[in-house]
């Protein structure tokens, strides 16, 4: 039963299997203990951007801003995993972190809100990143639209099924989102199980889903509420597991993303858990304005036609097309850039140490900025 999700149970079968590997992953040195994880994360982003974007580009990525520029940045600089990782991070907090990094002699200023990691600190940063690795299961861009609904549904489903197992109807819902509550009410009507049995089968699916040697399920399980146990907050779990709160946040997201991916690829093995993400993903993740442009493209309109019909600048429509290239599988880039120019641009990007459009354009005077951006978007990163 879900009511077995107590500390004793968590320190049982699953945790015995996973704890050793997790401890190795989280080991830190005395040097690392003085560096907060959010600083390490910002340094990592600055290193990957190599001074080609402002510090506020990092804020937009971590907040999950759905602009064409941000969407392009996460692909160019290999930061897709961090998209919407910290939706409540403020500009003031980022400014404070950057200020402290400057005071600690990590950064050199190269322009207005542009910074580079000092050459003498790069080896130290590499050690910090190895000591505080980002989970390979963290896939912010791919699953950002799933994550919050999945967690709200999972936590409420666990709570309610736990109460149903003991025929209890007196509880305060852990999720007050009315949409989530209505979803659960509808789902309970469609499940072909006795309500008192749902708890048992849900527990079995959770155990099966979380049996992965690189995961520590207590990161997730300790936040679940049952009939005899109140789940902890993220801050409380981080304290209990002796984890940096921000590192815990990414670890928690990574487990959610891992579960979502595993469930989607094996729906028949998870008949209950698959209900949590049923129809929760839109066919395409496009901003509203870009979606309108895409609709015109599908009707056969040219870029010039769309500029006129939508009364927008050509640069705006081009931004929309870049976003489409990043989101629509197999979108025909050769309709936008000649094969000859694609080959030239790809070769130049691969040989260049910079991903700056200006630097690439200086080497390719006969192609447009739009063509360079299109190739970058259409063919992924060039690391």
């Amino acid at each position: 039963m879900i009511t077995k999700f107590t500390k004793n149970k968590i320190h049982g079968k699953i945790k015995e299997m996973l704890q050793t590997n997790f401890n190795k992953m989280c080991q830190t040195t005395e040097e690392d203990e003085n560096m907060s994880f959010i600083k390490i994360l910002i340094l990592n982003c600055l290193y990957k951007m190599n001074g080609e974007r402002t510090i506020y580009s990092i804020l937009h990525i971590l907040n999950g801003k759905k602009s064409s520029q941000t969407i392009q940045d996460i692909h160019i600089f290999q930061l897709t995993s961090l998209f919407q990782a910290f939706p409540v991070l403020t500009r003031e907090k980022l400014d404070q972190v950057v200020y402290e990094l400057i005071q600690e002699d990590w950064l050199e200023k190269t322009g207005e809100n542009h910074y580079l990691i000092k050459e003498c600190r790069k080896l130290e940063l590499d050690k910090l990143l190895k000591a505080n690795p980002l989970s390979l299961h963290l896939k912010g861009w791919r699953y950002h639209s799933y994550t919050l609904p999945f967690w709200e549904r999972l936590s409420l489903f666990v709570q309610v099924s736990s109460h149903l197992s003991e025929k209890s109807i007196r509880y305060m819902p852990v999720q007050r989102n009315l949409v989530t509550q209505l979803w659960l009410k509808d789902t309970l009507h469609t499940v072909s199980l006795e309500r008192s049995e749902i708890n048992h089968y849900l527990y079995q699916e959770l155990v099966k889903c979380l049996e992965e040697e690189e995961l520590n399920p207590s990161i997730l399980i300790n936040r679940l509420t049952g009939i005899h146990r109140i789940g902890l907050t993220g801050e409380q779990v981080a304290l209990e597991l002796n984890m940096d709160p921000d590192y815990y946040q990414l670890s928690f997201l990574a487990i959610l993303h891992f579960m979502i991916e595993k469930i989607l690829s094996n729906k028949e093995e998870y008949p209950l858990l698959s209900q949590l993400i049923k129809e929760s993903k839109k066919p395409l993740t496009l901003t509203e304005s870009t979606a309108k442009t895409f609709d015109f493209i599908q009707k056969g309109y040219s870029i010039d036609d769309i500029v006129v019909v939508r009364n927008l600048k050509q640069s705006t429509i081009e931004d929309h097309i870049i976003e489409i290239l990043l989101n629509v599988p197999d979108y025909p880039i050769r309709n936008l850039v000649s094969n000859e120019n694609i080959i030239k641009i790809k070769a130049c990007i691969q040989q260049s140490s910079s991903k700056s459009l200006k630097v690439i354009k200086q080497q390719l005077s006969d192609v447009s900025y739009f063509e360079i951006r299109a190739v970058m978007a259409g063919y992924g990163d060039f690391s």
Side-chain angles (χ1 to χ4, degrees), residues 292-348:
K292 292 178 181 178
T293 294
F294 187 51
D295 184 52
F296 281 113
I297 290 173
Q298 290 179 305
K299 292 176 181 177
Y301 284 64
S302 68
I303 293 178
D304 291 338
D305 293 336
I306 300 173
V307 168
V308 174
V309 172
R310 298 206 60 197
N311 192 28
L312 295 172
K313 295 179 180 178
Q314 180 166 327
S315 60
T316 301
I317 301 303
E318 289 177 350
D319 284 343
H320 293 169
I321 293 174
I322 298 303
E323 185 180 336
I324 291 166
L325 282 166
L326 290 167
N327 286 279
V328 180
D330 303 319
Y331 186 83
I333 188 174
R334 284 178 171 78
N335 291 352
L336 306 168
V337 187
S338 69
N339 191 56
E340 178 184 359
N341 282 352
I342 289 174
I343 294 172
K344 286 196 298 185
I345 295 169
K346 288 176 69 176
C348 184

Side-chain angles (χ1 to χ4, degrees), residues 66-68 71 282 284-296 310 312 320 323-324:
K66 294 180 181 178
S67 67
S68 295
I71 293 168
K282 298 178 181 178
L284 295 174
T285 307
L286 298 174
T287 56
E288 183 178 351
S289 187
T290 297
K292 292 178 181 178
T293 294
F294 187 51
D295 184 52
F296 281 113
R310 298 206 60 197
L312 295 172
H320 293 169
E323 185 180 336
I324 291 166

Side-chain angles (χ1 to χ4, degrees), residues 27 41 62 93 106 110 137 171 207 215 218 241 243 268 277 300 316 339 347:
Q27 286 175 351
L41 188 67
L62 297 180
K93 172 64 174 179
W106 275 96
T110 59
H137 300 303
Y171 59 86
V207 170
L215 296 178
S218 57
L241 298 178
M243 296 175 68
E268 66 284 351
I277 51 180
T316 301
N339 191 56

Side-chain angles (χ1 to χ4, degrees), residues 6-235:
T6 61
K7 291 182 181 179
N8 289 335
K9 187 66 182 179
I10 295 307
H11 287 279
K13 178 182 176 183
I14 298 178
K15 193 164 185 181
E16 288 176 357
M17 186 187 304
L18 309 180
Q19 191 67 57
T20 300
N21 286 334
F22 180 76
N23 286 341
K24 290 179 180 178
M25 182 181 75
C26 291
Q27 286 175 351
T28 60
T29 65
E30 291 182 3
E31 178 186 61
D32 302 333
E33 291 174 353
N34 296 323
M35 173 73 80
S36 68
F37 179 71
I38 192 65
K39 288 184 179 179
I40 298 171
L41 188 67
I42 299 303
L43 286 170
N44 183 39
C45 292
L46 287 170
Y47 177 75
K48 289 191 172 184
M49 289 184 167
N50 196 32
E52 295 177 20
R53 296 290 188 274
T54 71
I55 56 173
Y56 301 115
S57 295
I58 298 173
L59 181 66
H60 298 328
I61 290 170
L62 297 180
N63 284 169
K65 182 179 181 180
K66 294 180 181 178
S67 67
S68 295
Q69 184 63 60
T70 300
I71 293 168
Q72 185 168 350
D73 283 348
I74 62 175
H75 287 83
I76 291 175
F77 299 110
Q78 304 172 66
L79 293 169
T80 54
S81 66
L82 295 176
F83 185 79
Q84 210 173 92
F86 294 98
V88 297
L89 179 67
T90 65
R91 188 183 182 99
E92 291 73 24
K93 172 64 174 179
L94 178 62
D95 285 339
Q96 179 63 32
V97 169
V98 171
Y99 172 77
E100 291 177 7
L101 289 171
I102 294 170
Q103 297 301 112
E104 294 163 11
D105 204 34
W106 275 96
L107 305 177
E108 59 178 298
K109 190 172 186 178
T110 59
E112 186 66 27
N113 296 319
H114 285 73
Y115 296 89
L116 285 173
I117 308 296
K118 289 192 173 182
E119 195 66 34
C120 61
R121 305 301 295 270
K122 288 182 178 178
L123 182 59
E124 187 178 349
L125 174 59
D126 184 58
K127 291 179 180 178
L128 287 168
L129 291 172
K130 287 179 180 177
N132 300 272
L134 295 183
S135 171
L136 296 177
H137 300 303
L138 185 65
K139 298 178 180 178
W141 172 246
R142 182 178 300 178
Y143 295 123
H144 71 274
S145 62
Y146 286 93
T147 308
L148 182 58
F150 178 76
W151 167 241
E152 289 185 348
R153 293 174 179 185
L154 174 63
S155 55
L156 185 60
F157 200 6
V158 166
Q159 179 193 27
V160 172
S161 66
S162 174
H163 280 265
L164 290 175
S165 70
E166 298 192 16
K167 297 182 173 57
S168 169
I169 59 172
R170 297 177 63 84
Y171 59 86
M172 180 70 69
V174 293
Q175 297 295 340
R176 298 186 180 183
N177 184 336
L178 183 58
V179 173
T180 302
Q181 293 179 6
L182 291 175
W183 165 84
L184 182 58
K185 183 177 180 180
D186 292 340
T187 298
L188 289 174
H189 286 305
T190 63
V191 173
S192 58
L193 291 169
E194 292 293 331
R195 293 199 169 189
S196 59
E197 297 179 339
I198 294 175
N199 191 60
H200 169 75
Y201 287 100
L202 180 58
Y203 168 70
Q204 295 298 327
E205 288 188 24
L206 281 168
V207 170
K208 184 176 182 179
C209 188
L210 292 172
E211 287 181 334
E212 167 67 37
E213 62 180 16
E214 296 179 358
L215 296 178
N216 179 4
S218 57
I219 290 173
L220 173 76
I221 301 300
N222 284 349
R223 293 184 63 172
L224 294 175
T225 292
I227 188 169
H228 299 304
R229 181 178 183 277
I230 298 176
L232 304 178
T233 65
E235 292 79 6

